[in-house]
Amino acid sequence: MEKDSRWILREMVTQRPAVTGTDDAATLARPDADDEGFLRHWIDVVADSDTELARVLAARAVDARRRMDREDLVVWIDTAMHTFDRRGLGAAIAVLEGWERFASERFERRNGLPLDEVSGVLERFVAGLGGRRLELRSAAYPYTDTAAIYVPALLARLPEREENFRLYKAMVAHHWAQTVHGSWRPAVLATLRRFPDRQRALAVFAALERERLDARVARELPGLAREMQWLRAQCDGAAPQPASWAPFAAVLRRHGASAEDSLRLIAAAADTSLPAPACYHGRFLPDPVWDVLTARIDRERQRLAVVLGKLAEEQDRAQPGRSLRAGRAGGGRFQLGTRGGQAGRADLRFELRADGRRLEPPDELRGLLVSMIQDHGHLPPEYLAVSAPAVYDAGANERTGTAPDYHALFDDTGRYTYPEWDHVRGRFRTDYCSLRESDVEPGDPQFVTRTLARHAGLVRSIRRTFEAMVGEVRVVRRQAEGEDVDVDALVEAHVDAWRGVEPGDRVYTRLVRAERNVAVMFMVDMSGSTRGWVNDAEREALVLLCEALETLGDRYAIYGFSGRTHKRCEVYRVKRFDEPYAAAVQARVSGIRPKGYTRMGAAIRHLGHLLDGVPARTKLLVTLSDGKPEDYRSYRGRYGVEDTRHALLEQRRRGIHPYCITIDREGGDYLPHMYGPASYAVIDRVDRLPLRIADIYRRLTS
Amino acid sequence: MTVTSVRTQEVLLDSEPYYEPVGAEVEVFAAAWGNRLPLLLKGPTGCGKTRFIEYMSWRLRRPLVTVSCHDDLTAADLVGRFLVKGGETVWVDGPLTRAVRAGCICYLDEIVEARKDTTVVIHPLCDDRRLLPIEKLGEVLSAPPAFCLVVSFNPGYQSVLKDLKQSTRQRFVALEFDYPQAALEARIIANEAEIDADVARRLVQFGHTTRNLKGQGLDEGASTRLLVNAAKLMRSGIAPAVACRSAVGEALSDDRDVLAAIAELAAAVF
């Protein structure tokens, strides 16, 4: 396409002061032909969205090209366009104008190592080390609050990525050691508070703990300790330890040294000069730890009461007459024994006994106990007492305990964001579509009964056909092995042998059960164009389909979709996978009504995501529609078709088979492109839809 | 002319298999066998169930028939079937029938994998009747006192389809197996792979780190068997990190992040 880019580019080159001089300068400033084509392409792409933005880009593209390679340049332009999509022109221009900072950040990012790239490995690494589950978050400097380990979002301290990864690992391991080896027990925090000069005491304590934990890591994880040594040599130089430090180090390097030893040494070490921390050591911040710790101790104690209460109740039910709850006759307590190691050790095992009977501790209990022992160093015995009321109060506490999460959830209930494929840009617009999930308003409950009565004959035949498909056990003949002898094949083999021909060895029969393992998601078009006949036909078709699927026992869900611009994509629940086909669902089927436009991409991505979570061997995503994707403004025509096609491709990659049933007679033009050949059915008359749909489904899944 | 499908040999071990008792399982097994009770072994993969059976087979001087169950294993595979031999149909006993006739220990490994129709033959064999009906021959075998049915089952697979029905499990004396305690596991590894006790101890430590990853990318941690494999590689001169990666990491997962984390854990421990 021949667009404004040519004159924009010409203008930007001629406008540049340096270029107005000699011809030489002009050729210098002018990008080579290949680059020019590249830049012009992107200016065109941007001009598609906004001319002004393209003008701003054109004015900076040549300079930016000198500092960035093409890949970075594309990321830069892409960032600007995303910003434009989400926050408008002003913000997008700011991105383009900040190209110099962008270029240097990209440079750093390329040579440094961002946390995002390695957090998956590091999180598992720290989980493997044992103890309470620790999250990994980014912060300006490393520290831990005992619920998460904070590390910088980007490390560029060492020249190689691999070396920066080692630094990350050492940071994470050191802070893991703090949480597991008792640097942050409530008693320690309380003692630290009592020092008159808290700041100094904390600094000394931190130095002592670093010494102790380094020694401990060296004993337990020698391979990691070697890497830590190497990092110290690289980053921290060979700063010698102050001579006065040696006696303290000697105490703390002993086997069995604890945080209490560090606390005891604070007074003695108060005036010595402290060794410098290593590059992987972070800060010791008692305040965030205190907040997290106190909240967690309360929460876990309540949780434990709930879990033990439930356990006691189960026991009571299993063995009536012997109540474990205090306050009843024969009331008792739980006893907990641990085997094999102390806090943070992977082989810590629990033996739970209730009045001398051994119980299998549930997984949840195990996690709680690990965390509690990590906080206290042991399990306070009073925690194991089960009092009758606590069991019931704790239910409420449990809810308040998770309140913060609830809150976060509440703000965003039923809202999801999905990317959209922009075929012009050749890439995704990330988090572009905002999608909301809600229930269909229930409609006339009589609709289903009426439909079933109207199509009584059809319903009977559907039931018959589909019943025959359930649990078919077929005898397969002529098998190399099987349960029984296939007499026909045996006779033939005999005859062959008798004639001197080599007889076949497939002389057995085998029973094969065709087990159905199908989950199907129906995606019903609720766009405005379905008003009238189409909507009625859709609803009737769904009623008949539900009959068929109930007979068959396949798992299925029904969702409607519509949309009006990318900010308001809607998905309407008619039936979830785990919902039974009952009155509520029937009312919702009859309540399906035309709404906005057909923005299909986001709906496909969302429903595909739901379907992906269902365990089934065969997964189908069946769209019931009356036409091609269409939405207000840009989603019309090729753009919408391409996004839909891309969304369907994504589902295929997940192992979901998309299929489309449409009543658009022109569907044959674009459906093969969107769904692929043999993945769609065009129904030429609306009133035929209910008759055909069960048949199509049968063909599809047998 | 035909391929015989299940052809499991009964084995009488002539040397003592290496086995370290964890609890009272040897005594319980012997007592159950003496009382003609069937046994159910529960436990994760690679924790020593099969080795235990071999050991008991040697100790009780009974031949062992092992059947690894798979999802296509039918009752006919266990009991027997007619085969075509030289123009005639010939009855061939299945492994279970052979074990009953000879008074062996019959070990059905991972019983939940087998088809549901196998319960038809297992149930009458497991209660006090101790009968094996052979429908196609119209015959009913009564198991001799020396016969013992042992099944194993891994409760770790939390799938509804892979659960043992109450009516089945309540016929068995159950023994639970788990990975041994650290010290014992180290001794087992050192003995099995003939490696240094210190290396074995480190391997166990590494094994525990992978078990911590259960539910966070792994379905199961490293079994004792995998650790023994790693130890054997190390004894042959493979570097610890490589041995752990090949024998343990790659065996547990295909996920790149998980593999990288396991490699880092191995590097940290050694």
Side-chain angles (χ1 to χ4, degrees):
Chain A
M1 35 185 162
E2 196 52 43
K3 285 225 176 133
D4 336 306
S5 64
R6 203 169 278 278
W7 69 259
I8 291 179
L9 198 71
R10 197 181 317 122
E11 184 182 67
M12 98 209 176
V13 173
T14 47
Q15 266 181 0
R16 289 163 49 82
V19 189
T20 46
T22 60
D23 280 3
D24 275 1
T27 41
L28 259 182
R30 192 182 289 276
D32 65 45
D34 191 28
D35 258 356
E36 192 177 313
F38 170 74
L39 290 177
R40 189 179 309 134
H41 164 74
W42 280 104
I43 294 168
D44 278 345
V45 169
V46 173
D48 255 2
S49 299
D50 192 277
T51 337
E52 180 57 27
L53 195 64
R55 207 182 284 271
V56 176
L57 171 65
R60 280 153 191 85
V62 178
D63 282 337
R65 175 68 186 92
R66 285 213 210 100
R67 280 281 303 278
M68 288 187 262
D69 61 11
R70 284 192 179 190
E71 193 186 323
D72 282 0
L73 207 72
V74 172
V75 176
W76 173 58
I77 297 171
D78 213 34
T79 313
M81 281 197 286
H82 281 310
T83 316
F84 177 75
D85 290 340
R86 265 189 268 171
R87 296 182 13 230
L89 183 62
I93 290 180
V95 170
L96 288 182
E97 282 174 345
W99 66 272
E100 274 170 306
R101 203 178 25 155
F102 188 90
S104 55
E105 270 173 17
R106 283 295 292 182
F107 181 77
E108 207 175 67
R109 188 161 278 263
R110 176 154 313 170
N111 293 285
L113 181 63
L115 177 62
D116 293 349
E117 278 180 29
V118 291
S119 59
V121 179
L122 286 174
E123 256 170 24
R124 290 186 172 110
F125 175 71
V126 75
L129 291 176
R132 179 191 304 123
R133 178 93 205 265
L134 289 165
E135 273 181 63
L136 222 55
R137 299 215 187 114
S138 62
Y141 43 82
Y143 72 97
T144 178
D145 61 9
T146 73
I149 294 176
Y150 296 82
V151 286
L154 179 77
L155 279 185
R157 187 153 178 185
L158 290 147
E160 296 287 328
R161 288 169 59 88
E162 154 65 24
E163 294 167 354
N164 284 314
F165 176 68
R166 270 190 221 178
L167 183 53
Y168 263 134
K169 207 168 59 170
M171 282 177 181
V172 167
H174 171 73
H175 290 91
W176 162 83
Q178 284 184 13
T179 67
V180 163
H181 295 314
S183 302
W184 297 120
R185 300 230 166 104
V188 173
L189 286 163
T191 314
L192 279 175
R193 289 184 164 205
R194 282 201 290 273
F195 282 92
D197 184 354
R198 264 191 76 195
Q199 282 308 314
R200 177 67 189 164
L202 187 63
V204 177
F205 177 71
L208 292 163
E209 280 294 278
R210 289 196 293 260
E211 192 70 50
R212 180 176 77 90
L213 295 174
D214 278 350
R216 182 123 197 199
V217 168
R219 273 199 302 278
E220 283 175 8
L221 303 165
L224 187 68
R226 280 197 301 277
E227 289 187 4
M228 286 177 163
Q229 277 293 313
W230 181 88
L231 284 168
R232 292 197 103 153
Q234 297 295 309
C235 297
D236 308 323
Q241 265 192 0
S244 54
W245 185 256
F248 302 114
V251 174
L252 294 170
R253 292 193 159 268
R254 270 192 341 231
H255 199 88
S258 67
E260 281 69 32
D261 292 317
S262 295
L263 285 176
R264 226 174 311 111
L265 290 174
I266 290 179
D271 301 322
T272 39
S273 57
L274 305 174
C279 51
Y280 53 83
H281 289 141
R283 300 195 189 174
F284 270 65
L285 301 175
D287 293 337
V289 172
W290 182 256
D291 294 344
V292 168
L293 194 69
T294 44
R296 181 176 53 228
I297 286 177
D298 275 357
R299 190 178 63 232
E300 287 183 346
R301 193 170 172 178
Q302 284 166 0
R303 192 72 218 138
L304 183 69
V306 174
V307 174
L308 288 180
K310 264 192 222 147
L311 216 57
E313 222 171 301
E314 270 167 33
Q315 286 296 307
D316 286 355
R317 226 176 296 133
Q319 308 213 344
R322 292 186 65 196
S323 174
L324 287 167
R325 272 186 246 142
R328 284 207 205 160
R333 281 180 153 202
F334 287 99
Q335 298 96 39
L336 186 78
T338 52
R339 278 191 292 149
Q342 64 271 69
R345 288 295 298 272
D347 56 336
L348 184 66
R349 282 190 200 181
F350 300 102
E351 248 175 27
L352 189 67
R353 281 171 188 283
D355 289 345
R357 273 173 286 146
R358 205 174 142 223
L359 297 181
E360 192 58 45
D363 278 353
E364 187 189 7
L365 185 64
R366 224 195 99 82
L368 271 176
L369 292 173
V370 165
S371 178
M372 289 174 131
I373 290 177
Q374 203 169 318
D375 276 342
H376 295 282
H378 61 279
L379 193 72
E382 67 271 18
Y383 278 30
L384 287 173
V386 183
S387 56
V391 179
Y392 298 105
D393 295 351
N397 289 333
E398 180 191 359
R399 280 189 290 281
T400 51
T402 52
D405 298 345
Y406 240 104
H407 196 68
L409 209 76
F410 195 72
D411 284 341
D412 262 349
T413 342
R415 231 195 101 241
Y416 304 84
T417 51
Y418 285 96
E420 191 166 280
W421 179 257
D422 184 335
H423 79 281
V424 185
R425 296 184 194 175
R427 59 193 59 224
F428 279 113
R429 299 182 177 215
T430 35
D431 295 343
Y432 188 64
C433 288
S434 176
L435 180 140
R436 192 175 282 276
E437 201 182 296
S438 54
D439 276 324
V440 169
E441 286 294 318
D444 174 15
Q446 290 305 309
F447 173 77
V448 174
T449 337
R450 274 204 311 275
T451 309
L452 289 180
R454 209 151 70 88
H455 295 286
L458 183 59
V459 170
R460 261 198 306 279
S461 96
I462 286 177
R463 283 212 187 117
R464 248 196 330 270
T465 329
F466 281 75
E467 262 162 17
M469 285 168 69
V470 183
E472 280 173 308
V473 180
R474 286 181 300 132
V475 177
V476 219
R477 302 192 169 277
R478 296 178 195 278
Q479 296 296 301
E481 47 184 272
E483 288 91 25
D484 237 320
V485 174
D486 183 343
V487 177
D488 292 347
L490 185 60
V491 169
E492 270 172 39
H494 228 358
V495 172
D496 284 345
W498 187 67
R499 285 193 316 171
V501 182
E502 186 173 3
D505 62 350
R506 300 178 155 268
V507 292
Y508 295 95
T509 62
R510 237 161 98 87
L511 281 182
V512 176
R513 168 166 301 184
E515 274 176 62
R516 291 187 68 83
N517 191 351
V518 181
V520 56
M521 164 74 80
F522 288 97
M523 190 173 137
V524 183
D525 190 346
M526 283 170 67
S527 63
S529 54
T530 60
R531 207 171 299 278
W533 268 103
V534 179
N535 178 259
D536 290 344
E538 270 183 358
R539 291 187 296 149
E540 287 192 0
L542 284 176
V543 170
L544 295 178
L545 201 58
C546 288
E547 284 300 315
L549 289 161
E550 287 297 318
T551 317
L552 213 49
D554 285 357
R555 275 160 292 176
Y556 66 105
I558 303 170
Y559 283 76
F561 72 98
S562 80
R564 190 182 179 87
T565 78
H566 62 103
K567 292 198 185 94
R568 276 172 51 198
C569 299
E570 305 272 359
V571 160
Y572 306 96
R573 278 185 295 262
V574 179
K575 179 188 176 297
R576 294 191 314 267
F577 275 109
D578 54 356
E579 214 171 354
Y581 179 60
V585 173
Q586 294 183 343
R588 270 182 250 139
V589 169
S590 73
I592 294 176
R593 288 285 175 275
K595 310 244 178 190
Y597 288 87
T598 329
R599 203 172 190 103
M600 276 173 87
I604 290 172
R605 289 185 180 98
H606 181 67
L607 298 181
H609 173 74
L610 294 182
L611 183 55
D612 198 35
V614 179
R617 199 179 303 148
T618 315
K619 295 180 187 178
L620 280 169
L621 176 72
V622 180
T623 315
L624 224 62
S625 163
D626 75 328
K628 64 172 96 169
E630 188 179 50
D631 189 12
Y632 206 59
R633 287 196 8 205
S634 60
Y635 210 72
R636 238 162 251 254
R638 173 116 191 259
Y639 184 95
V641 170
E642 289 295 330
D643 175 50
T644 308
R645 172 180 144 85
H646 204 275
L648 290 169
L649 280 175
E650 289 156 37
Q651 307 318 313
R652 265 184 214 281
R653 233 171 280 147
R654 276 178 167 159
I656 291 172
H657 306 281
Y659 192 86
C660 179
I661 302 174
T662 187
I663 18 197
D664 181 2
R665 246 170 280 176
E666 281 148 31
D669 300 343
Y670 59 89
L671 283 171
H673 178 61
M674 256 164 51
Y675 281 83
S679 291
Y680 62 93
V682 179
I683 292 171
D684 47 2
R685 273 172 51 200
V686 180
D687 52 336
R688 304 273 303 164
L689 178 67
L691 307 178
R692 291 281 311 279
I693 192 161
D695 197 38
I696 291 173
Y697 184 73
R698 189 177 57 80
R699 261 195 298 122
L700 211 55
T701 58
S702 59
Chain B
M1 176 161 165
T2 60
V3 184
T4 54
S5 52
V6 181
R7 185 103 196 117
T8 323
Q9 217 59 53
E10 51 262 45
V11 181
L12 188 56
L13 296 158
D14 45 9
S15 64
E16 179 177 357
Y18 170 67
Y19 183 77
E20 293 269 0
V22 180
E25 71 269 24
V26 174
E27 292 77 14
V28 173
F29 190 105
W33 180 74
N35 285 294
R36 303 171 200 182
L37 297 172
L39 281 122
L40 166 69
L41 311 184
K42 292 196 278 183
T45 177
C47 68
K49 299 188 293 276
T50 304
R51 180 62 65 85
F52 170 65
I53 290 295
E54 283 174 4
Y55 174 75
M56 290 314 295
S57 151
W58 174 84
R59 201 182 151 108
L60 301 173
R61 310 253 170 253
R62 294 312 312 160
L64 177 65
V65 174
T66 307
V67 181
S68 298
C69 301
H70 52 83
D71 53 3
D72 231 11
L73 187 99
T74 59
D77 290 327
L78 290 177
V79 175
R81 56 164 52 107
F82 282 107
L83 290 181
V84 180
K85 275 184 185 163
E88 276 178 76
T89 53
V90 182
W91 174 260
V92 176
D93 279 346
L96 184 62
T97 310
R98 257 184 296 130
V100 171
R101 287 194 207 274
C104 303
I105 296 176
C106 183
Y107 177 43
L108 306 181
D109 200 1
E110 296 290 352
I111 182 74
V112 282
E113 297 286 346
R115 285 220 201 166
K116 298 290 167 260
D117 66 339
T118 50
T119 50
V120 176
V121 293
I122 290 171
H123 279 192
L125 206 50
C126 288
D127 47 32
D128 55 354
R129 294 173 283 170
R130 284 168 64 86
L131 297 175
L132 177 66
I134 307 177
E135 215 180 305
K136 283 179 186 152
L137 293 181
E139 200 179 317
V140 178
L141 286 185
S142 173
F147 170 78
C148 180
L149 182 69
V150 185
V151 301
S152 80
F153 148 67
N154 181 354
Y157 304 128
Q158 291 292 339
S159 158
V160 269
L161 299 174
K162 297 280 166 70
D163 205 3
L164 215 50
K165 273 193 294 191
Q166 280 299 322
S167 59
T168 306
R169 59 194 298 165
Q170 291 210 8
R171 285 161 199 265
F172 290 90
V173 173
L175 278 174
E176 194 183 356
F177 284 73
D178 201 350
Y179 303 124
Q181 283 287 295
L184 181 58
E185 193 169 21
R187 193 160 80 228
I188 292 170
I189 293 171
N191 266 318
E192 277 284 299
E194 293 161 11
I195 53 161
D196 187 52
D198 193 51
V199 180
R201 205 170 49 76
R202 288 283 173 206
L203 260 173
V204 171
Q205 192 191 347
F206 166 67
H208 283 299
T209 65
T210 66
R211 289 170 202 169
N212 285 334
L213 283 175
K214 188 171 166 178
Q216 282 165 43
L218 285 186
D219 297 330
E220 292 268 356
S223 61
T224 310
R225 173 169 49 213
L226 286 189
L227 297 178
V228 169
N229 292 352
K232 285 178 177 165
L233 291 185
M234 282 159 72
R235 189 192 54 197
S236 304
I238 307 283
V242 180
C244 288
R245 187 179 172 98
S246 317
V248 180
E250 301 284 356
L252 289 176
S253 175
D254 298 318
D255 183 300
R256 264 187 47 211
D257 279 0
V258 175
L259 279 177
I262 291 176
E264 293 301 339
L265 288 164
V269 168
F270 285 99

